[in-house]
mmCIF file of all heavy atoms in Angstrom:
data_model
loop_
_atom_site.group_PDB
_atom_site.id
_atom_site.type_symbol
_atom_site.label_atom_id
_atom_site.label_comp_id
_atom_site.label_asym_id
_atom_site.label_seq_id
_atom_site.Cartn_x
_atom_site.Cartn_y
_atom_site.Cartn_z
ATOM 1 N N GLN N 504 -8.208 -47.864 -19.708
ATOM 2 C CA GLN N 504 -7.630 -46.731 -20.660
ATOM 3 C C GLN N 504 -6.552 -46.081 -19.773
ATOM 4 O O GLN N 504 -5.498 -45.712 -20.320
ATOM 5 C CB GLN N 504 -8.861 -45.732 -20.876
ATOM 6 C CG GLN N 504 -8.675 -44.890 -22.091
ATOM 7 C CD GLN N 504 -9.753 -43.919 -22.199
ATOM 8 O OE1 GLN N 504 -10.751 -43.904 -21.382
ATOM 9 N NE2 GLN N 504 -9.615 -42.955 -23.052
ATOM 10 N N MET N 505 -6.895 -45.838 -18.456
ATOM 11 C CA MET N 505 -5.887 -45.263 -17.577
ATOM 12 C C MET N 505 -4.620 -46.118 -17.520
ATOM 13 O O MET N 505 -3.514 -45.587 -17.522
ATOM 14 C CB MET N 505 -6.562 -45.093 -16.243
ATOM 15 C CG MET N 505 -5.681 -44.423 -15.158
ATOM 16 S SD MET N 505 -5.800 -42.607 -15.234
ATOM 17 C CE MET N 505 -7.155 -42.250 -14.221
ATOM 18 N N TYR N 506 -4.850 -47.407 -17.388
ATOM 19 C CA TYR N 506 -3.701 -48.311 -17.245
ATOM 20 C C TYR N 506 -2.711 -48.198 -18.484
ATOM 21 O O TYR N 506 -1.523 -48.403 -18.340
ATOM 22 C CB TYR N 506 -4.162 -49.840 -17.180
ATOM 23 C CG TYR N 506 -5.042 -50.100 -15.946
ATOM 24 C CD1 TYR N 506 -5.608 -51.383 -15.838
ATOM 25 C CD2 TYR N 506 -5.179 -49.234 -14.875
ATOM 26 C CE1 TYR N 506 -6.425 -51.658 -14.825
ATOM 27 C CE2 TYR N 506 -5.983 -49.542 -13.880
ATOM 28 C CZ TYR N 506 -6.666 -50.699 -13.717
ATOM 29 O OH TYR N 506 -7.464 -51.049 -12.757
ATOM 30 N N LEU N 507 -3.222 -47.776 -19.654
ATOM 31 C CA LEU N 507 -2.351 -47.582 -20.838
ATOM 32 C C LEU N 507 -1.411 -46.411 -20.695
ATOM 33 O O LEU N 507 -0.434 -46.285 -21.455
ATOM 34 C CB LEU N 507 -3.222 -47.493 -22.069
ATOM 35 C CG LEU N 507 -3.959 -48.741 -22.532
ATOM 36 C CD1 LEU N 507 -4.831 -48.534 -23.711
ATOM 37 C CD2 LEU N 507 -2.949 -49.937 -22.802
ATOM 38 N N SER N 508 -1.694 -45.486 -19.726
ATOM 39 C CA SER N 508 -0.827 -44.451 -19.491
ATOM 40 C C SER N 508 0.641 -44.848 -19.123
ATOM 41 O O SER N 508 1.629 -44.119 -19.258
ATOM 42 C CB SER N 508 -1.183 -43.662 -18.296
ATOM 43 O OG SER N 508 -2.430 -43.157 -18.354
ATOM 44 N N ASP N 509 0.685 -46.085 -18.691
ATOM 45 C CA ASP N 509 2.051 -46.639 -18.160
ATOM 46 C C ASP N 509 2.724 -47.488 -19.196
ATOM 47 O O ASP N 509 3.569 -48.203 -18.919
ATOM 48 C CB ASP N 509 1.714 -47.444 -16.940
ATOM 49 C CG ASP N 509 0.934 -46.775 -15.965
ATOM 50 O OD1 ASP N 509 1.146 -45.535 -15.703
ATOM 51 O OD2 ASP N 509 -0.042 -47.388 -15.458
ATOM 52 N N MET N 510 2.263 -47.402 -20.486
ATOM 53 C CA MET N 510 2.774 -48.339 -21.466
ATOM 54 C C MET N 510 4.262 -48.267 -21.653
ATOM 55 O O MET N 510 4.914 -49.332 -22.041
ATOM 56 C CB MET N 510 2.039 -48.209 -22.814
ATOM 57 C CG MET N 510 2.107 -46.859 -23.431
ATOM 58 S SD MET N 510 0.875 -46.658 -24.706
ATOM 59 C CE MET N 510 1.577 -47.623 -26.050
ATOM 60 N N PHE N 511 4.853 -47.076 -21.357
ATOM 61 C CA PHE N 511 6.356 -47.081 -21.509
ATOM 62 C C PHE N 511 7.142 -47.105 -20.261
ATOM 63 O O PHE N 511 8.368 -47.272 -20.311
ATOM 64 C CB PHE N 511 6.708 -45.735 -22.256
ATOM 65 C CG PHE N 511 6.037 -45.543 -23.555
ATOM 66 C CD1 PHE N 511 5.043 -44.565 -23.737
ATOM 67 C CD2 PHE N 511 6.304 -46.389 -24.561
ATOM 68 C CE1 PHE N 511 4.384 -44.426 -24.991
ATOM 69 C CE2 PHE N 511 5.681 -46.296 -25.829
ATOM 70 C CZ PHE N 511 4.704 -45.290 -25.995
ATOM 71 N N THR N 512 6.496 -47.085 -19.141
ATOM 72 C CA THR N 512 7.271 -46.937 -17.889
ATOM 73 C C THR N 512 7.281 -48.307 -17.205
ATOM 74 O O THR N 512 8.319 -48.560 -16.547
ATOM 75 C CB THR N 512 6.563 -45.961 -17.054
ATOM 76 O OG1 THR N 512 5.178 -46.229 -17.002
ATOM 77 C CG2 THR N 512 6.885 -44.545 -17.351
ATOM 78 N N ILE N 513 6.272 -49.246 -17.385
ATOM 79 C CA ILE N 513 6.200 -50.416 -16.650
ATOM 80 C C ILE N 513 7.295 -51.294 -16.761
ATOM 81 O O ILE N 513 7.788 -52.027 -15.891
ATOM 82 C CB ILE N 513 4.810 -51.077 -16.971
ATOM 83 C CG1 ILE N 513 3.749 -50.504 -16.131
ATOM 84 C CG2 ILE N 513 4.850 -52.619 -16.888
ATOM 85 C CD1 ILE N 513 2.310 -50.920 -16.534
ATOM 86 N N SER N 514 7.904 -51.462 -18.061
ATOM 87 C CA SER N 514 8.826 -52.532 -18.325
ATOM 88 C C SER N 514 10.124 -52.319 -17.491
ATOM 89 O O SER N 514 10.717 -53.266 -17.117
ATOM 90 C CB SER N 514 9.273 -52.419 -19.840
ATOM 91 O OG SER N 514 9.533 -51.154 -20.190
ATOM 92 N N SER N 515 10.428 -51.087 -17.054
ATOM 93 C CA SER N 515 11.719 -50.987 -16.245
ATOM 94 C C SER N 515 11.378 -51.336 -14.787
ATOM 95 O O SER N 515 12.371 -51.620 -14.034
ATOM 96 C CB SER N 515 12.371 -49.610 -16.464
ATOM 97 O OG SER N 515 12.115 -48.778 -15.406
#
Side-chain angles (χ1 to χ4, degrees):
Q504 205 187 349
M505 182 83 88
Y506 297 170
L507 291 175
S508 307
D509 312 313
M510 59 196 284
F511 302 114
T512 46
I513 275 172
S514 50
S515 101

